[in-house]
Amino acid sequence: VNQTRVQAFARLGTIIGHELAHSIDGIGVNFDEYGNYNPMQTTSDDVRTCIRASGYRTRNEDFADVVGVHVAYTSFGEDSPEFFTDFAQMFCTQPMTPLQEQEFVRRSAHSTPAFRVNNVVESVFAFKTLYNCPLDSDDDAYACINLF
């Protein structure tokens, strides 16, 4: 596949980071390196509270989306608006009717594509600084920056 470096990080890097994040989400922390159930004390719940979720069922996926983009963008190592555009393009779909959206939410462990993109850009500090979005002291992305 003919991709630029930024496209590769924004797309493949985000997917890899997303999947790796599942190892520290609310389910993954309960398994050891061999895949055996071995719950341990963790701050995963504390970390997840900094990530907005569309619902209880999607919280681990929403967490993995934000961590995946953060890891990919940090690994890319350059300030690039194109990174976020390429990330968002992975989720381009036809607009859903309210009924389609309800059915999607009912059946999927993931949030809707629009929520996934918007949640990430609201939660990733690099996006806010790149686009000069105002940061308040009570801003979730600002308050949670040290988690990564």
Side-chain angles (χ1 to χ4, degrees):
V1 178
N2 191 15
Q3 291 188 5
T4 65
R5 183 174 176 270
V6 68
Q7 288 171 328
F9 274 86
R11 296 172 184 172
L12 184 58
T14 293
I15 292 167
I16 292 169
H18 173 103
E19 296 306 328
L20 289 172
H22 284 304
S23 69
I24 59 169
D25 70 13
I27 297 170
V29 297
N30 293 312
F31 295 88
D32 64 19
E33 66 272 23
Y34 305 107
N36 299 316
Y37 183 72
N38 187 12
M40 59 179 162
Q41 297 295 326
T42 180
T43 60
S44 177
D45 288 335
D46 296 334
V47 173
R48 278 199 328 260
T49 61
C50 291
I51 309 298
R52 201 170 57 115
S54 67
Y56 182 80
R57 202 173 67 207
T58 65
R59 72 192 185 289
N60 289 322
E61 294 298 336
D62 296 332
F63 170 79
D65 285 343
V66 173
V67 172
V69 169
H70 174 79
V71 167
Y73 188 79
T74 302
S75 299
F76 180 62
E78 299 174 24
D79 288 339
S80 171
E82 185 183 349
F83 177 94
F84 292 102
T85 301
D86 289 329
F87 157 73
Q89 287 175 343
M90 289 194 307
F91 297 97
C92 286
T93 62
Q94 294 293 323
M96 293 184 192
T97 66
L99 185 59
Q100 288 171 323
E101 193 169 296
Q102 287 175 349
E103 189 64 17
F104 182 92
V105 169
R106 191 174 72 79
R107 292 178 179 254
S108 181
H110 292 92
S111 296
T112 62
F115 182 90
R116 291 179 79 175
V117 171
N118 291 330
N119 186 48
V120 165
V121 299
E122 289 177 12
S123 302
V124 173
F125 187 73
F127 178 88
K128 291 188 173 205
T129 57
L130 185 65
Y131 285 96
N132 297 314
C133 298
L135 292 175
D136 299 323
S137 59
D138 63 343
D139 189 317
D140 288 342
Y142 181 79
C144 296
I145 188 66
N146 290 325
L147 292 175
F148 300 109

